[in-house]
Amino acid sequence: MFNTLQSFKHGKFHSLPALAKQLNLKLERLPVSIRIVLESVLRNCDGKKVTEEHVRQLAGWQPNAKRTEEIPFVLARILLQDFTGVPLLCDLAAMRGVAARMGRDPKVVEPLVPVDLVVDHSVQIDHFGTKNALDLNMKLEFKRNEERYQFMKWGMQAFDTFKVVPPGIGICHQVNLEYLAPGVHKSREGICYPDTLVGTDSHTTMINGIGVVGWGVGGIEAEAGMLGQPVYFLTPDVVGVNLKGKLHPACTATDLVLTVTEMLRKAKVVGKFVEYFGEGTESLSVTDRATIANMAPEYGATMGYFPVDARTLEYFRGTGRAADKIDALEAYFKAQGMFGIPKKGQIDYSQVLELDLATIYPSIAGPKRPQDRIDLDKVKPTFEKLFSAPVKENGFGKKSEDLQKVTKAFDGTEIKNGDVLIAAITSCTNTSNPGVLLAAGLVAKKAVELGLKVNPRVKTSLAPGSRVVTEYLGKAGLLPYLEKLGFSVAAYGCTTCIGNAGPLPQAIDEAVAKNDLVCAAVLSGNRNFEARIHPNIRANFLASPPLVVVYALAGSMLLDLRNQPIGKSKDGKDVFIGHIWPTADEVKALMKFAMDAPTFQRMYSDLANSSVLWKKIPAPAGEVYSWPNSTYIAEPPFFKDFAMAPGAVGGINGAKVLGIFGDSVTTDHISPAGSIKPTSPAGIYLQEHDVAVADFNSFGARRGNHEVMM
């Protein structure tokens, strides 16, 4: 074994520089992300699950080599969201039951690393545009999901290492960034090690923005990690992205991430680590970095990693982390030689790509895929072209002469192709970033002061990923202006980004469906697959929060924002986008309200008592779950005939291919999360069990019952 345990002022650590000397290797040339994985392999080397050979193989990582070896990666913690986390809790509960039936202590089944489940996927936008929308939506959420929340509360009292962040706090990735991530862990033996994790959600990669190695996995892998097993993955290539220059003041982090997504999709980074370096990377705020890291699944990478540097420490201070934790983070990464953004030529990458930040242009992405970026001044002609283009060319296959056709709903509302019907400031991708949220508020302020209004057919909503957002928008004096345009806080959760947009007004919904209109949703999210946002909205565009407000005002994708006015001011003058777009200095002047440590500490100080509705949910007691009759939570059948000795595995004969799939297979295709049709097998099952169609909820909410999902 290796003699690498050394001391520093916060305890002990397994030194990578010491390992480099023992192996006579230049480990400082390895990508930082690989070194963090190497530290885990070194620290957990027990000669069984993790061997000396595993350490040597990874320490000898070569930029361009045949990838055949798997890495056993032992994690520091696990992150769950409620849709994908509840089935894992069902498995743990079932294992407890097996232990009890076999006369064993049920407590032998216990997660060996900390597990945090954040409830963020359940809330829907049923109510919007009013100050009481948040209260009404939360009451509906608790009514629909009471059985699930009771089960989670049982888990909290049954397992020592299982914690729940209640509904109404925020989105798991933003809560992870702002609160859960400790920077550096310390074991009972006083050994310090870097934060690492996997999560049961694709966008777990957002945490890469603060130098944490982590990504999204399936439930089985997360469950293995919970129970102390390594997560195995093929040794990856690491693509280095050299960001140069600085963003133009009129551009946002959203414009940047959409460009990065487009570029890296073309570079084919699927299954690879991406690591950012260079002076452009150094210039980005941590929240800008987190936005780019968040969309790693969209550009296909396993991770989009940003090393720890002075800006990381600044973010930890701004979000109210304890001084000793920040000091430990800095000291640890400096002791390991991993502090700071690498400069060009310092690291050996499998491939190096470059992007000049000065070339970034305001843009949106869509209408069906995140990588299909469109320059803002080309949105109108692109929509016109795609309207009549064949479906196989990403179009809608409609007749070009129908583009301007006016349809009247039964209530008299006029609707056309290209009309914006949903405008949502949503998703951890952007609501974690004060720069773009303050910009959206400033756009709203200028628009209201000029007398602009949102067309009543547009369903507007503001669903921040954390309650801190509402605090700083209020302190900056911008929230009232957003509310006047209909962007009242409707929820703290994923909402529109995951398809929980809620219903459109019946008259509009019927007119769109009956006439097969191609209408649009504009959202500050990360995914825009057709019908994901709403079953009847076919064109979905990803945009920065300020552009979401602009398109809500414009009301149509067929407006040339460069040359056409958004609307008329109260004195009858044309208002163009330049009249309401904020300057960088205006945003910067308000940033002091956003990074306020006492606010973060107050918002995250007493989560268990943060919601009256959550406190009212009864918590079942006991170490073993009783499995009351429920169509939400059911005991998994996998452990029915469990024995301590495995049974014989029979031969496989006459196996057939079940399916051959093309490109762009998404998590939505693999496991549905949206609405349940009454005529589907799941819908029939629920009706047979006396569940009214109005109470179906969603596939995601019912993942704790295998019968519904099968």
Side-chain angles (χ1 to χ4, degrees):
M1 293 294 180
F2 304 99
N3 181 24
T4 58
L5 198 60
Q6 295 189 357
S7 297
F8 76 135
K9 65 177 180 177
H10 291 276
K12 298 177 181 179
F13 72 106
H14 284 276
S15 169
L16 293 178
L19 179 67
K21 282 185 180 179
Q22 290 179 39
L23 297 179
N24 194 27
L25 292 170
K26 292 184 177 180
L27 295 185
E28 70 274 10
R29 300 289 305 177
L30 294 184
V32 179
S33 51
I34 290 290
R35 280 184 265 169
I36 289 176
V37 176
L38 175 59
E39 186 280 337
S40 171
V41 175
L42 173 65
R43 176 168 37 86
N44 291 286
C45 182
D46 59 1
K48 298 173 184 176
K49 288 182 292 190
V50 184
T51 66
E52 189 174 322
E53 184 58 26
H54 286 129
V55 177
R56 291 183 182 277
Q57 283 171 355
L58 190 55
W61 182 89
Q62 295 296 316
N64 300 104
K66 191 175 181 181
R67 306 301 184 196
T68 57
E69 303 298 332
E70 285 197 328
I71 300 169
F73 187 27
V74 179
L75 302 148
R77 60 190 178 96
I78 306 292
L79 179 70
L80 310 175
Q81 42 96 328
D82 54 308
F83 274 13
T84 51
V86 166
L88 271 67
L89 184 57
C90 284
D91 285 354
L92 290 176
M95 285 188 263
R96 279 271 178 103
V98 170
R101 288 194 293 272
M102 296 180 75
R104 304 292 183 92
D105 179 5
K107 291 286 283 183
V108 298
V109 178
E110 178 78 40
L112 297 179
V113 296
V115 179
D116 292 293
L117 187 154
V118 182
V119 184
D120 60 4
H121 273 54
S122 299
V123 67
Q124 300 181 35
I125 307 295
D126 291 280
H127 299 274
F128 64 98
T130 60
K131 286 190 176 183
N132 65 343
L134 173 64
D135 180 59
L136 294 172
N137 286 329
M138 283 197 69
K139 284 175 178 173
L140 271 175
E141 175 190 0
F142 274 82
K143 182 182 176 184
R144 288 168 176 151
N145 296 282
E146 184 175 3
E147 292 175 35
R148 298 172 66 236
Y149 295 168
Q150 285 178 353
F151 182 54
M152 291 176 201
K153 277 203 162 183
W154 170 81
M156 288 174 71
Q157 62 82 43
F159 298 98
D160 297 333
T161 50
F162 179 81
K163 302 288 185 289
V164 175
V165 175
I169 301 301
I171 301 172
C172 64
H173 309 305
Q174 192 162 338
V175 173
N176 194 20
L177 198 72
E178 295 177 352
Y179 170 65
L180 295 175
V184 169
H185 296 261
K186 191 173 186 177
S187 72
R188 291 174 184 171
E189 296 76 29
I191 296 174
C192 294
Y193 53 98
D195 189 23
T196 57
L197 73 150
V198 292
T200 56
D201 189 275
S202 306
H203 298 98
T204 300
T205 53
M206 188 169 192
I207 205 67
N208 303 159
I210 56 170
V212 176
V213 165
W215 56 85
V217 295
I220 296 297
E221 290 172 284
E223 205 164 309
M226 286 165 62
L227 298 174
Q229 297 298 307
V231 169
Y232 291 89
F233 66 100
L234 191 66
T235 305
D237 284 357
V238 183
V239 177
V241 177
N242 181 17
L243 298 179
K244 304 189 299 182
K246 286 192 175 183
L247 282 174
H248 186 279
C251 292
T252 67
T254 316
D255 301 318
L256 172 56
V257 74
L258 295 180
T259 305
V260 167
T261 300
E262 177 188 45
M263 180 181 91
L264 293 184
R265 266 285 167 186
K266 291 176 182 175
K268 301 188 186 304
V269 297
V270 173
K272 301 176 183 179
F273 285 6
V274 168
E275 186 168 301
Y276 297 91
F277 70 96
E279 78 273 5
T281 301
E282 208 167 356
S283 74
L284 295 175
S285 69
V286 162
T287 49
D288 286 355
R289 297 173 189 180
T291 295
I292 297 167
N294 178 283
M295 287 189 70
E298 280 64 54
Y299 46 83
T302 302
M303 284 202 303
Y305 184 79
F306 290 83
V308 171
D309 70 345
R311 285 186 180 264
T312 315
L313 305 180
E314 181 186 314
Y315 179 79
F316 268 62
R317 278 189 285 271
T319 50
R321 263 67 168 219
D324 61 326
K325 296 282 188 184
I326 300 167
D327 190 50
L329 176 64
E330 181 178 13
Y332 178 86
F333 275 82
K334 284 183 175 178
Q336 292 283 32
M338 297 190 296
F339 188 84
I341 301 295
K343 292 179 169 52
K344 186 176 182 179
Q346 286 185 340
I347 303 288
D348 296 324
Y349 292 110
S350 306
Q351 178 186 3
V352 172
L353 303 172
E354 288 193 348
L355 177 63
D356 187 347
L357 300 182
T359 64
I360 303 301
Y361 192 83
S363 54
I364 64 174
K368 298 180 183 181
R369 301 186 306 177
Q371 65 264 39
D372 296 329
R373 190 187 64 83
I374 310 167
D375 284 344
L376 198 57
D377 57 355
K378 294 176 183 171
V379 172
K380 181 177 183 284
T382 301
F383 190 95
E384 290 172 338
K385 178 185 174 184
L386 291 175
F387 181 76
S388 56
V391 173
K392 65 181 180 181
E393 295 175 16
N394 211 28
F396 297 101
K398 307 286 287 180
K399 295 177 182 177
S400 55
E401 58 266 27
D402 289 341
L403 181 62
Q404 298 293 343
K405 186 179 176 183
V406 178
T407 298
K408 273 199 174 184
F410 67 70
D411 66 350
T413 303
E414 291 189 350
I415 312 171
K416 292 191 299 183
N417 291 296
D419 280 356
V420 175
L421 299 183
I422 290 178
I425 300 174
T426 179
S427 174
C428 51
T429 309
N430 285 292
T431 69
S432 61
N433 193 326
V436 291
L437 265 294
L438 291 167
L442 286 165
V443 168
K445 181 176 186 288
K446 294 183 180 195
V448 169
E449 288 172 346
L450 286 168
L452 297 183
K453 293 182 180 178
V454 171
N455 189 299
R457 69 169 174 263
V458 182
K459 181 174 184 176
T460 49
S461 62
L462 170 60
S466 136
R467 297 176 299 166
V468 173
V469 174
T470 311
E471 287 283 311
Y472 70 69
L473 286 175
K475 288 177 182 176
L478 299 176
L479 193 59
Y481 295 102
L482 285 162
E483 289 173 341
K484 282 181 181 176
L485 294 183
F487 289 97
S488 298
V489 175
Y492 295 105
C494 302
T495 63
T496 306
C497 188
I498 60 161
N500 284 358
L504 292 172
Q506 186 183 355
I508 291 175
D509 201 26
E510 283 187 14
V512 171
K514 185 178 178 181
N515 296 280
D516 195 26
L517 298 177
V518 181
C519 293
V522 183
L523 66 150
S524 60
N526 47 47
R527 288 188 174 168
N528 56 343
F529 313 124
E530 188 170 357
R532 174 183 171 92
I533 307 306
H534 186 280
N536 291 329
I537 293 186
R538 300 178 62 187
N540 301 287
F541 294 93
L542 307 180
S544 65
L547 278 178
V548 171
V549 178
V550 168
Y551 272 105
L553 293 164
S556 173
M557 305 309 298
L558 293 172
L559 194 74
D560 180 355
L561 290 177
R562 191 175 198 175
N563 299 305
Q564 291 180 273
I566 295 167
K568 296 277 188 185
S569 67
K570 51 193 169 189
D571 55 3
K573 293 180 180 177
D574 286 341
V575 177
F576 290 83
I577 189 171
H579 293 136
I580 59 173
W581 199 259
T583 66
D585 287 341
E586 287 174 318
V587 174
K588 189 177 179 181
L590 298 175
M591 197 62 78
K592 61 179 180 285
F593 297 112
M595 299 308 291
D596 178 59
T599 299
F600 281 89
Q601 290 165 346
R602 178 167 51 85
M603 288 287 103
Y604 287 112
S605 63
D606 188 15
L607 296 183
N609 296 309
S610 60
S611 166
V612 174
L613 293 171
W614 179 251
K615 286 175 72 175
K616 284 182 179 177
I617 296 286
E623 294 175 351
V624 179
Y625 194 61
S626 62
W627 303 105
N629 188 38
S630 169
T631 54
Y632 277 98
I633 306 296
E635 185 173 10
F638 324 121
F639 305 101
K640 189 177 180 183
D641 299 313
F642 184 83
M644 292 304 292
V649 178
I652 299 174
N653 300 300
K656 295 181 180 179
V657 175
L658 293 177
I660 299 173
F661 303 99
D663 295 334
S664 296
V665 175
T666 73
T667 51
D668 289 14
H669 296 108
I670 296 166
S671 183
S675 57
I676 302 170
K677 290 184 177 180
T679 54
S680 68
I684 293 167
Y685 168 84
L686 290 172
Q687 290 172 83
E688 287 174 348
H689 287 76
D690 300 321
V691 178
V693 173
D695 297 326
F696 274 9
N697 209 331
S698 65
F699 273 109
R702 292 189 180 272
R703 277 183 180 158
N705 185 337
H706 54 278
E707 297 289 356
V708 174
M709 300 309 294
M710 291 163 63

